[in-house]
Amino acid sequence: VFLIVLDSYGIGELPDAADFGDAGSNTLRSITKSKEYYNAITDAALCNCSYCRSYRLQVKSAYSRIAAYLDSFGVDIEKPFETSPLEPDENGMLAYCGCQYIVFGTCESEYYHRIDNVEIRVAISYPSTGIDQEHFVLELFPIKLKFVQ
């Protein structure tokens, strides 16, 4: 017999949630909304420029630990909200100085996480998402991939 405890994997708030700044918290609902959002994004809705195509073709395999981490938020790493690529260098490597993803729910503005050499934080600047529901935008950088046309 195995017992798995998912502490802090909220499926709703406790009566004293407001005392701790957690009013309205529901981690499972937020992850589900994020997954539904990404599942609804079709290939036709994604940017088709060569920089974005190159990113989508490689990012999941090149950054598998980041992909798994984003998946824990319900985010599909192959469907970025926004990318900020630089020009390919002399070796054909393309640096993305920012890759942004929409996540439903709330997050502290000071949130910071690092996996290998990639920083993950709440974005402070991004285009309008057009989403009325509570959400935030995660930004990760730097991402470096071979430029594939």
Side-chain angles (χ1 to χ4, degrees):
V1 175
F2 292 96
L3 174 65
I4 299 173
V5 178
L6 296 174
D7 189 28
S8 297
Y9 196 77
I11 56 171
E13 64 184 50
L14 292 173
D16 63 350
D19 297 341
F20 300 95
D22 287 338
S25 293
N26 190 324
T27 305
L28 184 58
R29 181 177 58 219
S30 296
I31 292 170
T32 300
K33 281 184 181 182
S34 293
K35 282 190 178 291
E36 289 170 352
Y37 171 79
Y38 283 95
N39 286 338
I41 297 173
T42 63
D43 286 344
L46 296 169
C47 177
N48 198 32
C49 78
S50 58
Y51 297 132
C52 289
R53 284 193 319 267
S54 184
Y55 182 88
R56 289 193 311 270
L57 286 171
Q58 303 173 76
V59 70
K60 191 171 190 171
S61 60
Y63 291 90
S64 60
R65 292 183 64 212
I66 304 290
Y69 182 74
L70 289 178
D71 187 60
S72 73
F73 287 93
V75 172
D76 183 342
I77 197 169
E78 294 176 316
K79 298 179 179 179
F81 168 60
E82 186 73 24
T83 62
S84 298
L86 302 174
E87 290 297 318
D89 67 16
E90 63 279 355
N91 298 317
M93 296 300 291
L94 184 60
Y96 296 83
C97 57
C99 302
Q100 298 179 334
Y101 294 88
I102 293 171
V103 185
F104 286 84
T106 61
C107 187
E108 294 178 11
S109 60
E110 302 83 27
Y111 174 80
Y112 174 85
H113 191 74
R114 185 180 187 100
I115 298 176
D116 300 325
N117 67 334
V118 177
E119 295 183 21
I120 304 166
R121 59 183 65 190
V122 174
I124 57 172
S125 178
Y126 50 88
S128 172
T129 64
I131 297 172
D132 294 330
Q133 298 173 20
E134 196 163 44
H135 69 285
F136 58 98
V137 175
L138 277 182
E139 183 168 48
L140 42 121
F141 57 91
I143 297 291
K144 295 178 181 174
L145 299 166
K146 184 80 175 163
F147 182 51
V148 179
Q149 293 191 23

